[in-house]
Amino acid sequence: MAAQRRKMIVTVLSGSTLTFLLLSFMKGGPFLMLCIASAALMVSYVGLMMYLLGANAEREMKVAFLPHRNSAAEPSRPLNLREASAGRR
């Protein structure tokens, strides 16, 4: 569902950029500014999408390799402050 939405947004942005580019060649004036703004929005959206998808993939990869708790493992005991500070003076 999200992939379809992203594809639709990129399609609309690229279509508007192309339309404004053609109109800027025919009429000029404000359509050139609209073409530049639309192109900037498209490049920004694609860059942000690539960054977020990469960060999400990296996060999933890190979570996959985290050690899982074994139910038979011995629970750790709280550390005594005297033991922790032993040898540090």
Side-chain angles (χ1 to χ4, degrees), residues 14-28 31-32 34-36 38:
S14 61
S16 68
T17 302
L18 223 124
T19 302
F20 288 137
L21 181 65
L22 292 175
L23 285 171
S24 70
F25 283 135
M26 289 190 297
K27 304 266 184 184
F31 291 111
L32 180 62
L34 288 173
C35 175
I36 292 171
S38 180

Side-chain angles (χ1 to χ4, degrees), residues 1-14 45 49:
M1 189 80 143
Q4 288 177 346
R5 184 176 62 240
R6 286 191 296 265
K7 185 178 177 181
M8 185 180 69
I9 291 172
V10 169
T11 303
V12 167
L13 285 173
S14 61
Y45 181 77
M49 186 174 58

Side-chain angles (χ1 to χ4, degrees), residues 55-67:
N56 190 24
E58 184 178 345
R59 187 179 319 117
E60 286 178 6
M61 186 175 67
K62 285 180 181 177
V63 169
F65 291 111
L66 285 177

